[in-house]
């Protein structure tokens, strides 16, 4: 249940016309009163003899207690309370009780007999609007400081009592939500999202991997945004605003949003914090600057490097101090933004949704110390600079490898936030993991099918050898892995590791100990990518028709490895 305190106004009758009107899309089917300060207010919705003017006069009577110059310029208080989409439809009596509890909790009508006058109007199944006059019956102003937080706390109690969907409590670090007017405007314009959300997503993508102001603003311009910079008399850049070219106000002028109003970490000073040089970070934490890395040669190389950086970030989130972990989580958002920006068509939607969801997980009251995140930020830059991946061959397979690692990072971020009671951030990270799971299914289907084909065509003697290695290295997981559709791909990977001069048993043991596997839908899939990354194997086989070269004897093509019923045909599509 979401309460929302709207901006104070000065026109009681104007708001009543909206509440009792048809709505911008005629969605107000049966507007009517469900509660009021005295239980006897006129209801213009269902009483033919009552008018909106009658209700307005009743609500505004306390203003007469004050001299004209003592009356508040904006005396109209407006709060909406909305149920979750999956909540049951509440009765008028229940909504009336919710309204009375809300005005009491916020200080509008605390129950002392001299509170503000208010009325609650219901014009849809899932929400009510409360209108009040900000002058008490005794002529004093109400104590409604921090009324939004007080309403939130009361709604959390109501959710539990009525067994409704329980909303994660916030901590004040979330980006500002789009207003109902902005959402209606987006609907009229045929946009998927309000302009505020589109701009926030575009600015975040422009930040991803940028190394300075010039590059950042070039990215904004390349994305087609209108940019307005705020320059000090000294010539220093103080801030910026952006607008969509076709988002106009009533005067046909572009509607600009400052970076700080899009999200707390998108103000220019906060963005500049990301551009801390490695030498500056070294002097702060005592570490040495990282060595210069070789140039990225293409999308597959960039994805491999990003996978390695994501793995290091996981270790810091698990074992580092809070400020370093917060920096890694914030920079992980740039990895997801860069992935969404450069992904192939089959993964683009889910990766975009993953990046959109994870944005909430990147901010908390724990300050991220920039500089710790330079490896992830460089990896995000590599992804952007290497360009779009085609989603096939090595590009597609390394995309699956990176998404697999990003999934575990999202799970780690959710756990980290949950331990610190960051409920909204933990929930956002879990939502991100689900989108990444779906993206993985799309990215991994072909490369896992190719590897699986190689494993099934492997000579029987070599297949038996891989089973023996598995049972020796991970006896507790062996039977579960052998029953998974991904086992043939893992068997082919073990053979490839042996061909490359590695000890497959040692690699397998290390891979299972490296991190938890309980959240994996397919353990064999996870181990495939961990082994291929740690052994520096190609992510995709060059020729899936080829059998392994470990056994040169001529052996007839073996029968396929037996699979559990109903899983072999659809396993690749369901695996993460």
């Amino acid at each position: 249940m979401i309460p929302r305190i709207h901006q104070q106004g000065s026109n009681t009758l104007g708001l009543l016309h909206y509440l009792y009107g048809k709505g911008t899309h005629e969605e107000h089917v049966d507007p009517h009163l469900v509660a009021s300060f005295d239980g006897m207010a006129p209801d213009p919705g269902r009483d033919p003899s009552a008018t909106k003017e009658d209700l307005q006069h009743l609500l505004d009577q306390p203003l007469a207690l004050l001299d004209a110059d003592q009356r508040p310029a904006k005396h109209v208080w407006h709060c909406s309370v909305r149920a979750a989409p999956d909540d049951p439809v509440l009765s008028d009596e229940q909504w009336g009780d919710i309204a009375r509890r809300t005005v009491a909790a916020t200080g509008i009508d605390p129950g002392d007999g001299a509170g503000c006058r208010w009325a609650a109007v219901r014009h849809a199944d899932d929400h009510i609007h409360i209108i009040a006059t900000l002058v008490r019956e005794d002529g004093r102003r109400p104590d409604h400081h921090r009324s939004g937080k007080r309403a939130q706390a009361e709604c959390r109690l109501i959710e539990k009592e009525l067994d409704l969907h329980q909303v994660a409590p916030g901590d004040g670090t979330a980006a500002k939500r789009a207003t109902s007017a902005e959402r209606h405007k987006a609907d009229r314009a045929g946009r998927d999202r309000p302009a505020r959300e589109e701009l926030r997503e575009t600015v975040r993508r422009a930040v991803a991997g940028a190394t300075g102001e010039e590059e950042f603003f070039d990215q904004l311009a390349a994305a087609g945004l209108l940019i307005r910079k705020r320059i000090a008399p000294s010539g220093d850049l103080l801030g910026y605003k952006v607008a969509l070219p076709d988002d106009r106000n009533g005067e046909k002028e572009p509607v600009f949003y400052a970076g700080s109003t899009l999200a707390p970490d998108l103000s220019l000073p906060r963005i500049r914090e990301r551009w801390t040089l490695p030498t500056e970070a070294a002097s702060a934490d005592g570490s040495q600057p990282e060595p210069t890395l070789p140039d990225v040669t293409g999308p597959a190389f960039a994805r491999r490097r990003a996978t390695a950086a994501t793995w290091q970030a996981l270790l810091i989130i698990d074992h580092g101090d809070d400020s370093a972990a917060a920096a890694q989580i914030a920079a992980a958002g740039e990895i997801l933004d860069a992935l969404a920006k450069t992904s192939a068509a089959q993964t683009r939607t889910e990766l975009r949704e993953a990046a959109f969801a994870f944005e909430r997980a990147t901010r908390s009251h724990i300050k991220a110390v920039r500089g710790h995140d330079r490896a992830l930020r460089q990896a995000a830059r590599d992804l952007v600079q290497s360009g779009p991946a085609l989603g096939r061959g090595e590009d597609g397979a390394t995309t699956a490898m990176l998404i697999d690692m990003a999934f575990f990072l999202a799970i780690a971020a959710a756990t980290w936030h949950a331990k610190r009671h960051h409920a909204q951030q933990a929930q956002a990270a879990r939502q991100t993991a689900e989108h990444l799971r779906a993206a993985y299914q799309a990215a991994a289907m072909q490369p896992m099918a190719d590897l699986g084909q190689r494993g099934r065509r492997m000579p029987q003697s070599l297949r038996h050898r891989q089973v023996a290695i598995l049972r020796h290295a991970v006896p507790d997981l062996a039977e579960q892995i052998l029953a998974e559709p991904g086992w043939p791909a893992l068997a082919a990977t073990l053979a490839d590791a042996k061909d490359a001069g590695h000890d497959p048993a040692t690699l397998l043991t290390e891979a299972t100990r490296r991190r938890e596997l309980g959240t994996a839908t397919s353990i064999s899939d996870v181990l495939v990518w961990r082994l291929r990354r740690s052994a520096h194997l190609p992510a995709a086989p060059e020729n899936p028709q080829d059998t392994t070269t470990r056994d040169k004897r001529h052996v007839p093509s073996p029968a396929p490895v037996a699979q559990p019923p109903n899983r072999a045909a659809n396993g690749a599509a369901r695996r993460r």
Side-chain angles (χ1 to χ4, degrees):
M1 182 164 287
I2 303 294
R4 182 175 180 185
I5 311 298
H6 300 262
Q7 288 185 346
Q8 292 175 203
S10 57
N11 188 347
T12 304
L13 186 58
L15 181 54
L16 288 174
H17 276 300
Y18 167 73
L19 297 181
Y20 280 99
K22 294 182 178 181
T24 54
H25 297 282
E26 299 193 354
E27 68 273 22
H28 301 175
V29 178
D30 179 25
H32 59 279
L33 215 65
V34 294
S36 65
F37 68 100
D38 61 356
M40 297 187 297
D43 182 7
R46 290 188 174 176
D47 183 355
S49 64
T51 67
K52 303 178 188 69
E53 288 78 5
D54 293 336
L55 183 54
Q56 179 252 319
H57 289 316
L58 180 67
L59 293 176
D60 284 350
Q61 276 181 2
L63 291 173
L65 298 174
L66 302 176
D67 294 334
D69 60 347
Q70 296 296 315
R71 296 171 187 173
K74 294 186 176 182
H75 65 272
V76 181
W77 185 83
H78 178 202
C79 173
S80 59
V81 185
R82 185 179 298 273
D86 55 348
D87 281 339
V89 176
L90 303 178
S91 67
D92 281 354
E93 290 73 19
Q94 288 173 310
W95 276 117
D97 185 56
I98 290 169
R100 284 184 284 271
R101 293 179 62 169
T102 300
V103 294
T106 55
I108 295 299
D109 188 2
D112 58 2
C116 298
R117 295 190 176 190
W118 59 272
V121 178
R122 180 182 187 181
H123 56 205
D125 284 344
D126 63 348
H127 71 279
I128 58 172
H129 290 263
I130 306 171
I131 179 174
T133 299
L134 291 175
V135 176
R136 289 164 47 93
E137 297 282 6
D138 57 11
R140 295 187 293 120
R141 303 287 182 85
D143 178 15
H144 64 105
H145 179 63
R146 297 175 68 84
S147 58
K149 287 189 175 297
R150 291 152 72 176
Q152 290 279 358
E154 188 65 24
C155 282
R156 301 295 80 78
L157 297 176
I158 294 171
E159 290 164 357
K160 293 179 181 179
E161 294 174 17
L162 298 183
D163 195 26
L164 304 176
H165 174 82
Q166 296 188 21
V167 176
D171 61 2
T173 62
K176 184 178 179 181
R177 292 162 55 92
T179 66
S180 57
E182 290 171 343
R183 293 190 178 279
H184 290 151
K185 185 178 181 181
D187 289 341
R188 292 194 300 271
R191 290 196 183 93
D192 293 336
R193 290 173 176 163
R196 180 188 300 276
E197 293 181 1
E198 280 194 36
L199 290 169
R200 183 163 65 240
E201 181 180 48
T202 304
V203 173
R204 286 184 64 85
R205 288 190 181 186
V207 172
T211 57
E213 291 176 9
E214 182 177 358
E215 186 174 2
F216 168 59
F217 286 113
D218 284 347
Q219 291 289 339
L220 291 180
L225 300 189
L226 303 179
I227 306 166
R228 183 176 291 171
K229 299 179 182 179
R230 186 160 60 93
I231 309 294
S234 63
D236 295 332
L237 178 62
L238 299 178
Y240 72 99
K241 295 180 179 181
V242 288
L244 296 174
D246 58 347
D247 182 33
R248 305 275 169 160
N249 59 20
E251 287 71 42
K252 306 301 181 183
E253 296 174 339
V255 179
F256 281 89
Y257 294 80
S260 58
T261 65
L262 297 176
D265 56 345
L266 293 183
S267 67
L268 188 59
R270 292 289 299 278
I271 290 175
R272 282 170 172 160
E273 292 176 6
R274 309 185 191 207
W275 299 326
T276 303
L277 297 175
T279 52
E280 294 171 344
S283 63
D285 62 16
S287 62
Q288 294 299 317
E290 294 185 359
T292 302
L293 298 174
D295 292 337
V296 171
T297 57
F301 187 7
R303 279 154 172 71
R304 277 187 171 276
R305 185 179 288 178
T307 303
T310 304
W311 165 242
Q312 293 301 318
L314 272 169
L315 296 180
I316 296 173
I317 293 171
D318 283 344
H319 307 294
D321 62 39
D322 278 359
S323 60
Q328 298 297 330
I329 292 172
E334 295 194 38
I335 290 287
L336 294 178
D337 286 324
L339 253 181
K341 189 175 182 178
T342 60
S343 59
Q346 67 264 33
T347 58
R348 188 175 303 142
T349 298
E350 291 294 347
L351 287 175
R352 183 185 177 190
E353 292 298 327
F356 187 80
F358 197 72
E359 184 266 344
R360 181 66 191 97
T362 60
R363 290 186 306 275
S364 70
H365 284 300
I366 296 176
K367 182 175 176 57
V369 177
R370 296 295 184 172
H372 294 291
D373 58 354
R374 55 186 178 269
L376 272 184
R377 293 209 71 248
Q378 179 61 50
R381 179 175 175 78
D382 291 343
L383 291 172
V384 173
Q385 294 294 317
S386 66
L390 298 177
R392 300 190 297 270
E394 189 74 359
D395 281 3
T398 51
T399 297
M401 181 186 292
L402 176 53
I403 295 173
D404 176 81
M405 190 66 75
F407 170 87
F408 283 99
L409 188 145
I411 294 296
T415 302
W416 186 86
H417 280 303
K419 287 180 178 178
R420 289 150 186 82
H421 307 291
H422 304 160
Q424 287 189 352
Q425 291 90 334
Q427 182 178 345
R430 287 190 288 267
Q431 291 173 346
T432 301
E434 291 308 307
H435 288 299
L436 290 173
R437 192 191 297 272
Y440 173 83
Q441 292 173 353
M445 185 179 296
Q446 190 59 51
M448 287 299 293
D450 291 344
L451 286 168
Q453 183 179 2
R454 291 184 61 220
R456 286 186 289 271
R457 295 171 65 89
M458 191 182 295
Q460 188 171 8
S461 60
L462 187 52
R463 291 164 58 205
H464 289 164
R465 210 173 304 162
Q466 309 314 324
V467 172
I469 290 172
L470 178 71
R471 286 178 169 151
H472 172 73
V474 287
D476 294 340
L477 296 173
E479 297 310 314
Q480 179 180 347
I481 293 172
L482 288 170
E484 290 181 347
W487 159 243
L490 179 56
T493 297
L494 291 172
D496 289 344
K498 181 69 172 177
D499 286 346
H502 298 281
D503 180 355
T506 300
L507 285 177
L508 195 56
T509 302
E510 291 175 351
T512 54
R513 292 175 179 172
R514 186 170 297 166
R515 189 166 174 79
E516 58 86 20
L517 293 166
T519 54
T521 304
S522 170
I523 295 176
S524 50
D525 275 32
V526 175
L527 294 177
V528 163
W529 301 121
R530 290 184 183 179
L531 264 62
R532 300 196 81 84
R533 184 181 68 83
S534 60
H536 304 289
L537 300 173
E542 294 182 6
N543 186 353
Q545 299 295 331
D546 288 347
T547 59
T548 181
T549 59
R550 290 288 300 157
D551 194 326
K552 298 294 186 180
R553 294 171 299 171
H554 176 72
V555 181
S557 298
V561 176
Q563 303 287 353
N566 300 325
R567 292 185 66 184
N570 299 317
R574 294 197 308 270
R575 291 194 303 271
R576 189 205 44 69

